[in-house]
Structures are given as structure tokens and as C-alpha cells.
Amino acid sequence: MRVGAPLGWLLTLSVPCPMLARFAVRASRGGALLPACSAALRPAAAPIHRHAHCIHASVAASEVEVMAAESAELKSDFLRTLKWRGFIQQATDMAGLDQLLAEKTVVAYLGFDATASSLHVGSLLQIMLLRHFQKCGHKPLVLVGGGTTKVGDPSGKDASRQLLTEEVIEQNIAGISQVFSRFLTFGDGPSDAVIVNNDDWLSPLEYLSFLRDYGRHFTINRMLSFESVKQRLERESPLSFLEFNYMILQAYDFLELHRREGAVLQFGGSDQWGNIINGVELARRVDGASLFGLTAPLLTTADGKKMGKTASGAVWLNKDLLTPFEYWQFWRNTADADVGRFLRIFTELPQEQIEELETRSGAAINEAKVVLANEATSMLHGEDCLAQIQQTAKSLFGGDGGSAATDALPRVQLSAADVAAGVPLVDLFVQLELGKSKSEIRRLVTGGGAKLNDVKVEDAALVVTADTFGSTGSEIKLSAGKKKHGIVQLVD
């Protein structure tokens, strides 16, 4: 039996949360569920026992290490950069990692599961971390989770992820891989980035051999203490045995990449801390290797919302899902309280310039927002798009009557036959993704937020015909509120 598609039967062994809760009670009373080895984090007050025959780690100890590092003089350019820019949440053996980074070229990896055809801006902090790592002379590995995507990471989820076919996973890997070359240099050099796929080693595994060789290092007792599991238990949401295996597979990834590529450091978001610790400790027990982990904070905006999401949906990185202008506009609309933090994390501007921009207030802070939008957009989509974006922004918001080009806006095309038959206006709003549904657009019209060529739309039943374009016009502009716009183009 192999890990991967044949593991699909495990999904049927979904363990009801009350049952897992009873297991947790039993574990707390000392009941042994598996051989006495630990795969997760001890409570915050517990020490790290490196000599024990179980996988242990302490969140509290690592937090102390990070606080100590904040007051200590870091040796490596990389950690100094991360510290100032706000990338560090937790790290294992900060002093040892700093020494290693200062002495030699280090290989590190960061994983991205292929759950969608594009990454969104919430993943950008992690990509920027890899970029800084490479610019400091180290070698980044980009791990695409062709294998772990078949299982699904339960972290931060109330319900099981939808199982994807291998064909969809491959398509998603192709989609998310487009972005990495914008931020990293790939090749055969000592610090050139490499993309690896964990399906290469996870799918060929023999399941029973894998359980015997590696499963004995993990206990249900400790796995139940993970936040991703505890949250499901507390909310009485089902957690399948398939998902329960995810943390073991991610730990094995670290071991395998150490063996194959010489990786000694794993990056991740703070929600991956326990999984990273598992990999560090598994490699120590199995191969006697000394590995490291470092996590970055999970970003939220000043109003407490998760980074990467807006009222209209995800802020995608692939331009076929979100135009460069819409991406630029996302950054331009940053809340005042977030500008300085985002300049540090999402741009490479020098410290002195960022610190000057952070002093801006009142109307002057809008200049800092434009700098942020320009820098973030040019890094992803290239500098060539900025002139068109700025011209479009001036047309929409600069008070010049809309005479400038609108090429950067999302658009749909209608033929002469289309307009002869008539196209409902609400359909065009939806096609331009100015709203998620026709009912939402109708509510927008009722509320006075829908405009056609900057004129308020009064009738949600309006049909676009040739007369709507006028005798010489070939375009009309649709607007949803003040910040979302699109173009309907009449073509021959």
C-alpha cells in the first residue's frame, strides 16, 4: 500500500471529535495510545528534553530565544534583515542558526500546497522571506506539495479540505509556480533556487514500511495537543485520519530534503511551528542531524482581517485572476496604520527611506501608499506596467474627466451581434467581477453604488445595446463604488 492516491480509503476513517476528546482525556491521565514517543509540542512551561527518547519541543523556550536575539547582536545579514523588517515570529536555536548563516551558504526550504491555481497575497510574506534569503547568498528550495495536497493540511481549518484529483493538483502546481520566478533566481548555481515536489518521495512510499520506520516516533497523545487538532475538537468538527497524517508527512519532508538537497532550515508561517518542530526532531532521532526552524507571523491588517482577503475575494498573484491595476489598487488602499509595516515586509526599499515614509501623516501618507503600491506591483508584474496603471488611476481618480487610457482595467468584449440582442447590465458587472452575483449587483444599484460612465445607474434591469455606446464610442465604463471599475468594449 502506498501513500498518495491509495491512501484515499483513510478518509473513511473519520474519527468523531467526541471520540478524539476521550482519547485526549485518556492521554492526559497517562494512558498509552502508541509507544511512548512524542510528535508535538509540550505545554509552554515544559523544557526541551534533547536527551529523551521522544520528540519534544517547547514553544516557550523558543520564544525566549527570539526575545534574547532581539537584544543580542546578530551576526548574519539575513537574520538582521528579517529582524528589522518584522519577519521573525519563532526560531529554534537562534544563536546556532545565526552562527551557521554567518559562516556558510545554507540550504532552506518553504512549502506551498497546490490547493488553488494561484497563490494569493497572504503567501507573499513567505515568498519575500525566500527572496531575502537568496539575496543574502543562501540557497532557497521551493517545495510544491504535490503529495501533501492529496492529504490536506488541517491547520486553521474548521472542515476538511476538498480532495483534488491528480490532474487538478498538477494544474495548480503549474499555476502557482508562475510567481516564483518573479521573486527568485533559478538555476544551477550555489545560491540559485530550485523547485522540488514532495510527490516524488511521498507517493512511492510503502505504507507499512513507512509506519514502522517513522510512525513509531509519533504518539497520538502529543498529536492531539496540536492547535490544528485541538480547534477541531473544541468545535466538534470531524477530523479524518487522512488529515491526521499530514503532520507526519510534513516532518518527513524535512528529513527527505535534508538527505536529498542538504536542507538544514525550514521556513513557515507561525501556524506551522509544531509541524516544523516535528521535522527538526525526526531528523535528529533518525539521522542524528541538527536542523533548524524559523517561522514568520501570520499577518492581519490593522482592522484584524486576514491578509490576502478583501470583501470581493482573494487578492491573487497570477494576473489572469487579478489584473495588475487591481493588484496595485489593493496596495494603494492600504490602511494608514499598516503602511509602515507593509513597506518593511513587501518592498526592498532601504531602511532610511522607509523610516522617512513612516513619519508621513494626514494627506502626506497617501504618497507613501503610492510608493508601496508601485514597489509591490513592479516586483510582481514588472516596472513596465506602472505607467499604464498610473495613467488609469489618474483617469479614474485625478479629476481629468476620464480622458486618459483605461487599458489597465479589467474588461469584457461584446460583438455587434451581442449588443443587437441586448446584454443585461447586471451580467456585465458580474463578468467584470465587480460583484459576486446578480443579486449583489441589484443591491448595489438600489444603494446607488453602480455607475455607467460615471453616471449613477437607476434601473437594475437596464440592457446594454448599441445605443449605450453612442454613435462613435467603442467602450463604456462600469463602476462599483469609488474603487472598482471595468471596461466593456465593443468589437467588430
Side-chain angles (χ1 to χ4, degrees):
M1 191 167 298
R2 300 179 183 274
V3 173
L7 270 180
W9 66 272
L10 294 176
L11 186 63
T12 65
L13 298 179
S14 181
V15 182
C17 289
M19 184 184 298
L20 283 177
R22 290 196 294 273
F23 287 168
V25 170
R26 180 183 171 189
S28 69
R29 294 173 180 170
L33 300 179
L34 283 179
C37 306
S38 170
L41 303 178
R42 287 195 176 280
I48 296 178
H49 298 290
R50 293 288 182 184
H51 62 280
H53 295 289
C54 302
I55 295 179
H56 298 169
S58 167
V59 174
S62 292
E63 288 173 343
V64 170
E65 287 178 2
V66 172
M67 288 187 288
E70 289 176 351
S71 60
E73 185 66 30
L74 294 169
K75 300 175 182 179
S76 65
D77 291 340
F78 176 62
L79 289 182
R80 285 200 300 267
T81 297
L82 294 197
K83 175 184 172 183
W84 182 80
R85 291 186 177 271
F87 281 88
I88 301 176
Q89 179 77 12
Q90 295 168 301
T92 63
D93 188 10
M94 179 69 85
L97 177 58
D98 185 39
Q99 184 70 33
L100 185 67
L101 289 164
E103 291 177 347
K104 58 185 290 188
T105 298
V106 171
V107 180
Y109 86 96
L110 203 154
F112 300 87
D113 276 347
T115 54
S117 62
S118 170
L119 299 174
H120 60 66
V121 78
S123 300
L124 193 56
L125 180 148
Q126 307 293 346
I127 298 174
M128 289 296 296
L129 195 157
L130 290 177
R131 182 177 173 91
H132 286 299
F133 186 69
Q134 184 175 54
K135 289 173 78 71
C136 288
H138 302 291
K139 185 178 185 68
L141 305 177
V142 178
L143 172 69
V144 292
T148 43
T149 303
K150 297 175 182 178
V151 176
D153 184 1
S155 301
K157 296 293 180 183
D158 288 332
S160 300
R161 294 181 185 271
Q162 179 183 358
L163 288 180
L164 304 177
T165 65
E166 292 199 28
E167 181 182 10
V168 170
I169 291 172
E170 287 300 316
Q171 292 173 352
N172 288 348
I173 288 173
I176 67 175
S177 297
Q178 296 175 28
V179 170
F180 300 125
S181 61
R182 292 285 189 180
F183 294 87
L184 302 171
T185 300
F186 289 85
D188 299 322
S191 63
D192 285 345
V194 175
I195 292 182
V196 293
N197 186 340
N198 63 13
D199 194 52
D200 293 344
W201 55 84
L202 291 181
S203 283
L205 285 172
E206 295 181 353
Y207 184 57
L208 290 180
S209 296
F210 179 76
L211 286 181
R212 286 174 58 85
D213 292 342
Y214 304 105
R216 61 192 177 90
H217 297 293
F218 300 83
T219 65
I220 296 293
N221 313 52
R222 303 310 304 163
M223 294 168 78
L224 287 172
S225 71
F226 275 71
E227 280 302 313
S228 59
V229 176
K230 286 165 62 177
Q231 288 176 7
R232 290 280 188 91
L233 298 180
E234 291 168 358
R235 297 167 185 170
E236 298 188 358
S237 299
L239 178 70
S240 72
F241 184 61
L242 179 66
E243 295 171 286
F244 204 47
N245 279 265
Y246 187 92
M247 60 186 76
I248 301 177
L249 298 181
Q250 184 171 334
Y252 183 72
D253 280 346
F254 202 174
L255 175 65
E256 193 69 25
L257 283 173
H258 174 66
R259 292 171 172 175
R260 290 174 176 238
E261 305 288 346
V264 296
L265 173 61
Q266 181 182 173
F267 299 122
S270 59
D271 61 335
Q272 297 298 314
W273 176 245
N275 291 344
I276 291 173
I277 289 293
N278 279 342
V280 170
E281 293 296 317
L282 180 64
R284 180 186 62 80
R285 284 190 50 76
V286 174
D287 284 1
S290 296
L291 306 185
F292 302 87
L294 186 148
T295 62
L298 295 178
L299 281 187
T300 56
T301 55
D303 57 2
K305 295 178 180 178
K306 187 176 180 180
M307 185 70 179
K309 302 286 186 178
T310 67
S312 56
V315 182
W316 300 108
L317 299 185
N318 287 12
K319 65 180 180 181
D320 59 326
L321 297 178
L322 191 78
T323 67
F325 175 77
E326 291 172 305
Y327 187 74
W328 181 91
Q329 194 175 28
F330 166 78
W331 295 108
R332 173 61 182 82
N333 293 336
T334 297
D336 292 1
D338 288 327
V339 173
R341 187 163 54 113
F342 288 0
L343 282 167
R344 293 183 182 223
I345 293 173
F346 298 112
T347 80
E348 293 179 318
L349 294 175
Q351 181 174 343
E352 298 78 10
Q353 185 177 354
I354 291 176
E355 289 176 343
E356 188 280 322
L357 290 169
E358 287 175 334
T359 65
R360 306 285 181 91
S361 60
I365 201 171
N366 289 325
E367 298 170 6
K369 293 180 182 182
V370 171
V371 172
L372 170 63
N374 288 346
E375 292 293 321
T377 304
S378 62
M379 196 176 298
L380 177 62
H381 295 297
E383 293 185 8
D384 292 345
C385 69
L386 289 182
Q388 188 177 81
I389 286 172
Q390 289 162 0
Q391 192 176 26
T392 299
K394 182 180 178 182
S395 169
L396 295 173
F397 311 117
D400 66 356
S403 59
T406 55
D407 291 345
L409 291 176
R411 59 182 54 228
V412 296
Q413 294 182 334
L414 297 181
S415 66
D418 291 330
V419 296
V423 181
L425 185 69
V426 292
D427 290 355
L428 296 173
F429 268 85
V430 172
Q431 289 178 44
L432 287 167
E433 297 185 355
L434 300 179
K436 295 180 180 179
S437 64
K438 295 180 183 181
S439 59
E440 180 181 327
I441 300 304
R442 293 188 184 99
R443 290 193 296 270
L444 182 71
V445 171
T446 302
K451 292 184 179 181
L452 191 159
N453 289 338
D454 298 321
V455 177
K456 185 187 299 184
V457 177
E458 302 289 352
D459 184 5
L462 181 68
V463 174
V464 173
T465 65
D467 292 339
T468 311
F469 290 88
S471 58
T472 58
S474 61
E475 293 183 354
I476 57 174
K477 183 178 74 173
L478 303 183
S479 304
K482 296 181 179 180
K483 297 178 180 179
K484 297 175 63 177
H485 310 272
I487 298 297
V488 180
Q489 182 179 11
L490 180 60
V491 295
D492 295 332

